[in-house]
Amino acid sequence: MRILVVGSGGREHALCWKLASSPLCEALYCAPGNAGIAEEATCVPVAASDLDGIVDLARKERIDFVVVGPEDPLCLGLVDRLETAGIPAFGPSKAAAELEGSKGFMKDLARRAGIPTAAYERFTDAEAARAYIRKQGAPIVIKADGLTAGKGVVVAAIVEEALAAVDEIMGRRRFGAAGAEVVVEEFLDGEEASLFALCDGKTALLLGVAQDHKRAFDGDKGANTGGMGAYAPAPILDDTMARRAMRDFVDPTLKAMAEAGRPFKGILFVGLMVGKEGPKLLEYNVRFGDPECQVLMMRLRSDLLPALIAAREGELDQVDLRWHAEPAITVVMAARGYPEAPEKGSEIRNLGAAGKEPGVVVFHAGTRAEGGRILANGGRVLGVSAVGRDLKEARERAYRAVDLIDWPEGFCRRDIAARALGR
Ligand code: AMP
Ligand code: GLY
C-alpha cells in the first residue's frame, strides 16, 4: 500500500516510524513532515491544513490510505474531502471532529450521555457569562468554544481573573471566531491522565493510558505548552480503571455520536481528571496526543496499519492489538524561548549517537535539514523516547540520550515521570 501521513510533528514522526515497519507499507509519504520523518518517508511540502493540496498530492501519488495527525485538518473536514475523492482516510469526519472542535458540543453530548464531567453552562453573551461567574465564585474555569491550540482555557483562582478571561476571549476576540462562545465550568481537583481509544464508529479498542507534562519547567512551573514529556502506562489509571473508563466514557460517547448521526472513527483522546470521586471528563481530542503518541507507538507490538484500516472500515471487532510489557517515556527537547518565542535556526549535533543508545528512538518535531546539518525549526524540536524493563530504566535511558545530544540552545524538563516513580 501507498500511505500518506499528514502533519509535521513528533506525533507524525512516531506514526511514520511505526507505519514504515509494516509489511503492508510499500511507499510512505508525509506532508509536510520534518527532517527526522524524511528518514522514513518521502516528505512533500504541502501544509497539513491545505485541504486541496493534500487531496491533489494523494491523487498524484496514487495513495491508498491517508492517516491524518493533527486536529486542524480534521476539524476543517480533510477526511470528508479525501473520502469524497475516493481516497480512504483514517480519522473522524468534520461532524465527528466537533468533539474537539467545540467544547460546548462536547459538554452537551457528555451531559446527554450521562458521562461524568464538570458542571457547566454555555454562553454567547459576555454579560450573561460574567453574571454566572459572579454567582458561582472561584475557582472556576473559562474555555473558548473553538480550537485555540490549547491556549483558550483559563483556570481562574479568583473571580476577577475569570472575568478578564471572558473579556479576552469574547470581548477582544483573542482567538477570533473560536471565542464567539464560551463554556464556564466547575473547577475539578485531582491528577490528570489521558486515555486513548481506537474507534470504528461502534467498537473501541484501548490503546493505553499516558500522562503528559503540560508546563514548560520542572515541578510544573512556567507556561502551558503542548506537552513537555509523557510516559505510559500511567499508574494513576491502572488496567482495571482503564477498562472501567472505556465503559463509562468511550462506549457511551460512541453510542451518542452514532445516534447523533456523527459516527466517530479515529483516535479518541480522553482527557481525565482523576479526583476523589473518580475520573471525570476534562476534554476530548480527536487525534493522538503529542508527545503521548510517541510512547504509545514505542509500546505497540502489533502492526498499526491493519488496525487503522479496520477502524475506517468498521471492523475493529476483528482486531486484537498486542503490546510490549516495557513502559515507555518521551522527554521533549524544546528551543530556548518556547512556548512564547522559540529561537529558530540553531544546530543540533550528535543525534546519531543518541539514537544508538539501547531502547532509544529520537523522534523529530520541529527540525529541518540544511546541507547535512539538522537545525531547530520550531518550539518543540525533539522527542527523545525510550523503553526499559521498568519506568526507571526507561527514564535513565532517555536522559542518557538527551545528555548525548549537543544542542546548547535547547532545554528539557528533568522530572518527566517523577510523579509515577515517586508513588
Ligand atoms: P482542556 O483543553 O479542556 O483539557 O483544558 C486544558 C487544561 O486546563 C487541562 O488539561 C486542565 O489542566 C485544565 N482544566 C480544564 N478544565 C478544567 C477543570 N474543569 N478543572 C480544572 N482544570 C481544568
Ligand atoms: N499533549 C497534549 C495534546 O496533544 O493535546
Side-chain angles (χ1 to χ4, degrees):
M1 293 181 75
R2 301 173 63 78
I3 311 294
L4 168 64
V5 172
V6 176
S8 63
R11 165 181 50 211
E12 288 75 24
H13 190 183
L15 290 171
C16 285
W17 172 78
K18 188 67 192 162
L19 290 169
S21 73
S22 170
L24 295 172
C25 179
E26 172 203 316
L28 184 61
Y29 289 81
C30 188
N34 63 40
I37 294 175
E39 310 262 306
E40 309 281 359
T42 305
C43 293
V44 188
V46 177
S49 295
D50 174 2
L51 304 197
D52 291 328
I54 298 287
V55 173
D56 286 347
L57 171 65
R59 276 214 189 90
K60 177 162 160 273
E61 299 298 344
R62 304 183 325 280
I63 297 297
D64 298 302
F65 194 67
V66 180
V67 179
V68 185
E71 65 273 22
D72 289 296
L74 292 170
C75 290
L76 289 169
L78 177 57
V79 167
D80 313 61
R81 287 284 307 275
L82 288 162
E83 292 280 351
T84 303
I87 303 155
F90 173 78
S93 65
K94 181 176 182 176
E98 280 280 278
L99 277 181
E100 178 165 0
S102 165
K103 302 262 187 209
F105 173 83
M106 181 282 272
K107 295 293 290 189
D108 286 354
L109 183 118
R111 183 185 272 170
R112 229 173 34 241
I115 293 168
T117 189
Y120 73 103
E121 289 295 332
R122 302 174 68 168
F123 297 96
T124 49
D125 176 57
E127 203 35 61
R130 283 191 280 264
Y132 180 76
I133 290 165
R134 288 196 193 94
K135 193 173 107 223
Q136 295 294 314
I140 194 158
V141 182
I142 317 300
K143 300 181 172 184
D145 181 68
L147 287 186
T148 61
K151 298 189 184 76
V153 175
V154 175
V155 180
I158 53 169
V159 165
E160 287 65 34
E161 197 184 347
L163 298 175
V166 171
D167 290 342
E168 191 75 16
I169 296 169
M170 299 188 91
R172 280 192 282 284
R173 286 293 169 95
R174 172 157 173 226
F175 307 106
E181 180 175 338
V182 294
V183 170
V184 180
E185 71 177 38
E186 171 199 7
F187 171 80
L188 298 177
D189 206 8
E191 196 178 327
E192 286 180 53
S194 308
L195 178 141
F196 293 85
L198 176 62
C199 306
D200 73 354
K202 326 177 280 291
T203 304
L205 284 186
L206 175 63
L207 298 180
V209 176
Q211 207 163 27
D212 191 8
H213 299 64
K214 282 285 192 194
R215 301 298 191 105
F217 306 124
D218 285 21
D220 292 327
K221 302 272 174 12
N224 253 318
T225 70
M228 294 298 292
Y231 59 91
I236 171 92
L237 223 59
D238 63 21
D239 285 348
T240 312
M241 290 171 83
R243 298 267 153 226
R244 210 174 291 152
M246 290 294 283
R247 184 195 66 197
D248 295 344
F249 296 90
V250 177
D251 295 345
T253 297
L254 290 193
K255 186 156 172 283
M257 289 296 280
E259 281 165 7
R262 304 172 187 240
F264 186 86
K265 295 182 175 191
I267 301 295
L268 191 61
F269 167 158
V270 186
L272 294 169
M273 185 68 90
V274 187
K276 285 193 200 74
E277 298 167 21
K280 288 194 180 180
L281 177 64
L282 281 177
E283 64 163 344
Y284 277 134
N285 295 313
V286 298
R287 45 157 179 96
F288 277 112
D290 187 341
E292 292 92 331
C293 183
Q294 290 83 316
V295 289
L296 295 178
M297 290 306 109
M298 294 280 286
R299 298 195 70 227
L300 179 60
R301 191 169 182 166
S302 303
D303 190 348
L304 176 67
L305 186 51
L308 300 186
I309 294 169
R312 174 191 172 266
E313 292 177 356
E315 292 174 354
L316 269 187
D317 53 353
Q318 311 290 318
V319 174
D320 184 22
L321 290 174
R322 314 216 21 175
W323 300 88
H324 294 292
E326 291 83 13
I329 184 173
T330 294
V331 176
V332 168
M333 297 184 78
R336 245 181 356 221
Y338 176 74
E340 288 86 7
E343 294 168 21
K344 286 190 182 177
S346 55
E347 185 178 355
I348 306 160
R349 296 189 190 82
N350 218 26
L351 282 168
K356 284 195 194 81
E357 282 292 299
V360 169
V361 181
V362 180
F363 294 115
H364 289 223
T367 62
R368 69 189 173 86
E370 192 182 277
R373 301 185 309 154
I374 301 292
L375 306 180
N377 192 38
R380 292 188 294 172
V381 173
L382 301 169
V384 181
S385 306
V387 291
R389 268 184 324 244
D390 51 22
L391 191 56
K392 184 164 166 289
E393 185 183 65
R395 185 174 192 249
E396 282 163 6
R397 286 172 161 183
Y399 280 113
R400 207 174 306 133
V402 163
D403 291 334
L404 282 171
I405 294 171
D406 178 9
W407 183 34
E409 294 84 358
F411 75 95
C412 68
R413 279 181 63 158
R414 288 278 161 183
D415 63 348
I416 303 304
R419 193 180 245 159
L421 288 167
R423 280 175 93 88

